[in-house]
Amino acid sequence: MLPALQKLQKFIRLEAERGYDNRAVLGGLDKILPVWQQEAREDGVPEDFIQDVIHCLEGYASYSVPERAECLQTLLIKINNLTASETTATASPQVQPAGISSPSQTQREKSKSSSRSRSRGYTLPADTLPAHGLKAPLTVLPGIGPRYAQTLRQLGLETLEDLLYYFPRRYDDYSRLKPINRLRYGEEVTVIGTVQSVNNRDTRGGRLNLTEVIVSDGTAALRVNWFNQPWLAKSITPGMQIVLSGKVDMYLGRLVMNSPEWEPLEQEHLHTNRIVPVYSLTAKVTQKMLRRIMYQTVSFWAPRIQDYLPEWVRQAGELMPLPRALLNIHFPESHEDLKAAQDRLAFDELFLLQLGVLQQKRAWQANTATIFEVPDSWLESLIFNLPFELTSAQRRVLAEIRDDLRSGRPMNRLLQGDVGSGKTIVAALAIALVTYHGAQAAFMAPTSILAEQHYRNLSRLLSNPENPLLAPDAIRLLVGDTSENEKEAIRAGLADGSVKLVIGTHALIEDPVVFADLELVIIDEQHRFGVEQRAALRLKGNNPHLLVMTATPIPRSLALTIYGDLDLSVMDEMPRGRQPVETHLLSPLERERAYALIRAEIKKGHQAFIIYPLIEKGQNNNNDEAKAAVEEYERLQREIFPDLRLGLLHGRLPPAEKDRIMRAFRNGEFHILVSTSVVEVGVDIPNATVMLIEGANRFGLAQLHQFRGRVGRGQAQSYCLLIPETNDDIENERLLAMVETNDGFLLAERDLQQRGPGEFLGTRQAGYSELRMANLANVHLIEKARHLAQSLFEQDPDLSLPEHQPLRLNFERFWQGGRGDIS
Ligand code: ADP
Ligand code: MG
């Protein structure tokens, strides 16, 4: 290598090791320029490269760390390219890829691949910082030309780094060899034997070409077939030792293997005789080709990857070092190593996610907010005058909110409370704390029927005639079909500050309302809103306090991960005197009993829900057993309850129509509401006492629990009846959890284990597209990542310490793209 390039490379490596702090050279990197330029020209370094260096180093001091890294890494790649052309000419010593197989195999692989790279002029740039070479396009690999690179691009593979992080879809375990006489039908095995005969012929009138090979290993002989691969007859020859991996099949009473993976025995056993990665493919890319490319890349690069996690994190988390994890995720040496590799890579995702969440929380807390303090006596008398006594959970949460409101920092709190735990009253008290000082509050709910319900409840609580905290017309309802006149009046009142509380749907953010002094934003059933919608409402004030509420209990571990930027309040207690809903699991044959109970309840003046999983039969082909709300509604009306009034609600109705039907049901116009899952959200119909769920096995426990929460809201005993489609025991066992407990958190915890986190994520996806390895049901790993992220964050919240620069680069890459908004 030319001395000037070598020198530059040395400085760059030093600078990279220091975390790009511009101190590798005294006084800054640009200080080398005058002398270096001259030397470079003397060495005959191409002028355009010299200009690149000048360009990068002159601005260097003013760049951010990632920019510095990028510009220096680009220079390294170029040095490499310059050196590579030099190398092919002079045939300098080659780098040898590190194998991961047994020593003898490794030896073979080494010699083979170095001779191959020499002949193709491929030099692996090992004497420079590895990180940059990973940005090289796939065409640097032997055997990959521009056309094939284009094909691989369809898999999202463009650089060597992409390959490294293209994880297998699954693994085939060929690690157990078997003698042929011990093979059993149906098992996946690896066999080693000698080829006895090879026979290639066309069959079925020339439509099928069959290559039939007989292999023997001394214990027995095995017939192996390949179809339409006539060229195999040329590669597989009698006398050759061969390794076969695949499934043992049966043909005419004899064991055979059809189209197994194979390779000559003397080859390194990349495709066989181990746990083999299986990648997602695209047309023109075979498993074998991709594995070959992967192996070249991974075996060379993985050991050269810098582990960006600080050593103490790795130690404390008992994590496999990154280089080994990358090796083992592709080419596991054992099941234990594979598991450790998966854990390590999943940990990294959770850890980076958590660091981001912590940063968001801190950014939020850096804002100041108006302080709202009220006298204890005032608050106590307010509570005393409520129609009921607060539960201790309600009191606790109120105290937490009160502390937030007087902290001078914007509240950013998630209130989780099971259906019926009484969140609305807590929200009402929070509003009172703010309007006490004359400020304004906004309350957003997902549907207009729910908004109306809140409007009535909040009006009753905040402006009751005996103790009016607010004038009746200081509380307003703004929904889609509010008249234009009324909207105009509300807008005026909000702008001049005379309206103190506005309750509404997303009309609140769509409408051009302007607030005089919005200080508190409350969002009910927050998972029904997108990040943007929550942010839009918040932006109507100046750092207002924010309270989001949800009745979907989220297991704590998950809540802390997804909502780690929010403070968490949990209401885990029901108001006293509430009768638990009686839940029964019925077999499909007992449907008549369910109908009888519904009749009996309706006779007492109550109402019932009947829920079906799908809208129409045949909507989903494999599911035609599923009861269809539309058809069942007609059948029930015609055959079962001809004398009763039935309503029908489903997701294809326009929102206004849905509201109309819910309202009619609440007003007692129907005895029975037949519905799909759209009925889920927090509507209060105290007169409804039966919830019958058909096809119950199709719903998650958390969702079933939500349905159940629609009843049991009044004084009367209520019932929840679950009818699965079949008597399948396992399903029923899962559903039995509903019978056993009314605790939403417990059910959510089980749901997470059984069905994964999808139902809890809702619209909060920022950062989640990056989770490729992490399983959000792995509570143990989540806790570990959270704990260690917290410790690191306490030391170096901005990741500005030099030793955290590699981590910081990875952190920024992880979060780029995700907007990561709060709430
Ligand atoms: P959710 O938490 O599901 O939104 P709500 O706020 O709608 O529950 O409350 C459910 C019902 O319980 C309402 O009718 C409400 O008036 C009543 N409630 C709330 N708190 C109490 C309490 N401490 N004691 C008795 N009833 C209560
Ligand atoms: Mg509610």
Side-chain angles (χ1 to χ4, degrees), residues 73 77 80 125 128-137 140 159-161 301:
Q73 290 189 357
I77 292 176
N80 235 9
T128 57
L129 235 203
H132 71 84
L134 279 171
K135 300 282 182 220
V140 302
T159 64
L160 298 182
E161 181 172 44
W301 281 106

Side-chain angles (χ1 to χ4, degrees), residues 387-391 394 417-426 453-454 457 460-461 524-525 549-551 571 574-576 578 682 684 686 709-710 713:
F388 38 68
E389 200 179 324
L390 291 184
T391 65
Q394 284 170 321
D418 212 342
V419 276
S421 60
K423 293 183 289 296
T424 317
I425 187 78
V426 174
Q453 181 178 304
H454 284 314
N457 286 336
R460 203 167 53 227
L461 289 164
D524 194 25
E525 305 294 346
M549 308 200 291
T550 180
M571 292 209 316
M574 288 290 166
R576 256 190 296 160
R578 185 83 42 90
D684 215 355
R710 297 302 107 229
R713 297 173 80 92

Side-chain angles (χ1 to χ4, degrees), residues 22-42:
N22 198 18
R23 293 226 182 102
V25 177
L26 216 61
L29 238 56
D30 59 340
K31 291 286 177 295
I32 69 165
L33 276 175
V35 175
W36 184 82
Q37 271 184 64
Q38 204 177 348
E39 288 173 1
R41 292 203 177 93
E42 281 163 13

